[in-house]
Amino acid sequence: MEVISLAGGSSYFTSPEPAVSAAVAALHNAKNEYGPTEGSLELRRSICRRYETYGLALPAERVLVTPGVKQALFNLFSVLLRDEDEVLIPTPAWFGFHELLRYSRGKLMELPTQAIDGYKLTPEMLRRSIRPKTRILLLTNPGNPTGRTYTREELEALLHVVNEYPDLYFVSDEIYDFVTYGQPVTPALCCEGAKAARTVILNGFSKSFAMSAWRIGYIIGSSDLIRKCTDFQAATLSGVNVFTQAGARAAMEKREQELPAMLEALTENRRIMQKGLDAIPHVHYYLPDGAYYFFPDLSYYLNRTSITGEQLKTTADLCRYLRTCYNLELAPGDSFGSPGHVRMSFAVEKHRLQDAMQRLRQGLMLLITA
Ligand code: PMP
């Protein structure tokens, strides 16, 4: 039986053809020169134009091109965080934040949110959690692993609280922003009350554009913050390679031609996964508004004995059982801050997804009927 993995973070789509052609052409035409550390002016202008559609006029000097959002985060943490500064992160959250913060001077403070509340961080919860050392509120919109997507009004209410604290930054990781199934995402900087000096957008090409392998993203912030992040990038890795940037620019320019087909496939896959989960008793989940994961609660199936005689005490045990007996890989929720849950990607081929949902049903049902 083929192994089916729903545990990964990248999608099954091939990268957009215009991106591939532009990168190849750039490679053929290239002179052997370092590109600008901050990224090519063409790509940065193309990124700025994208935000013009929301009425936001950005000069290119407010954009820094980075090798992925991971590095964008690392740049930001390195220049913003002082000893023991705190970064507030609503959980469940992507495990990468935790890992990155281990290599910075700050520390992660979890803000637990619940499925029953739609995983919503409220202004009251935020206000209660801010302390003298709080430096960053880091929101992922749409969220990974929950798919929670904040409306403009919800963002504005959070920004209102952030604005009461002159030392606090609102950092919005919008890497999944083109992948939504209802209302489109309002970029944080386009909200009323977003202060240019303290509102930062992180975004990239890995998810919405199916370009994880290319390693490219960007930061939008104040000119001053971008200058600091650029200096850090100059000292550590120079710029992103110029061929990748040519590809990313083509992808951005042709997004209206390339993205709808991917979104259509993901919308259909989301329906298949939802139907598959509905067919399994005692499984609770939040229907994602964005990104391409479900994060169901499988705790009903814990503390049971598998056909191999193993006691499935933890979510990792349950995932190991599904991997061993059904060749199905899921990501245990513990690393996202939610034991008992699993992250399941539906950015996989339709026939694999259908097969995976049957295997999951069989595997779980056997635990309660054997
Ligand atoms: N932020 C979030 C929320 C993510 O899910 C990921 C990738 N899993 C990243 C950032 C990192 O993305 P990149 O590939 O651009 O480094």
Side-chain angles (χ1 to χ4, degrees), residues 9-10 67-71 73 94-95 97 140 142-144 173 175-176 203-207 211-212 215-217 293 343:
S10 48
V69 171
K70 210 174 225 189
Q71 189 66 37
L73 282 158
W94 176 51
F95 50 82
F97 299 133
T140 308
N144 169 11
D173 179 342
I175 190 167
Y176 293 93
N203 209 330
F205 293 79
S206 292
K207 313 292 180 173
M211 292 172 67
S212 305
R215 314 303 308 125
I216 183 157
Y293 312 104
R343 191 187 75 173

Side-chain angles (χ1 to χ4, degrees), residues 69 72-74 76-77 80-81 86-90 97 121 126 135-141 150 155 158-159 162 167-175 187-189 195 197-203 218-221 225 229:
V69 171
L73 282 158
F74 192 59
L76 201 63
F77 291 160
L80 272 188
L81 297 177
E86 293 171 359
V87 180
L88 285 179
I89 300 187
F97 299 133
L121 171 67
L126 174 60
R135 182 73 159 157
I136 294 177
L137 166 66
L138 174 49
L139 199 75
T140 308
N141 190 31
Y150 287 82
L155 291 173
L158 293 173
L159 277 161
V162 169
D167 219 20
L168 185 57
Y169 284 77
F170 186 102
V171 176
S172 183
D173 179 342
E174 298 175 2
I175 190 167
L189 271 162
K195 296 224 187 304
R198 292 193 286 121
T199 310
V200 181
I201 290 178
L202 305 177
N203 209 330
Y218 54 91
I219 314 177
I220 303 176
L225 180 68
C229 288

Side-chain angles (χ1 to χ4, degrees), residues 68-109:
V69 171
K70 210 174 225 189
Q71 189 66 37
L73 282 158
F74 192 59
N75 287 0
L76 201 63
F77 291 160
S78 303
V79 305
L80 272 188
L81 297 177
R82 302 150 306 192
D83 286 340
E84 300 298 304
D85 270 352
E86 293 171 359
V87 180
L88 285 179
I89 300 187
T91 56
W94 176 51
F95 50 82
F97 299 133
H98 182 74
E99 288 172 0
L100 271 166
L101 279 164
R102 280 176 38 212
Y103 296 97
S104 87
R105 293 195 285 169
K107 57 182 183 194
L108 186 148
M109 303 300 286

Side-chain angles (χ1 to χ4, degrees), residues 295-299 302 314-316 332-342:
F295 194 58
D297 180 355
L298 301 189
S299 48
L302 292 181
T314 64
T315 327
D334 308 57
S335 52
F336 300 91
S338 282
H341 293 66
V342 291

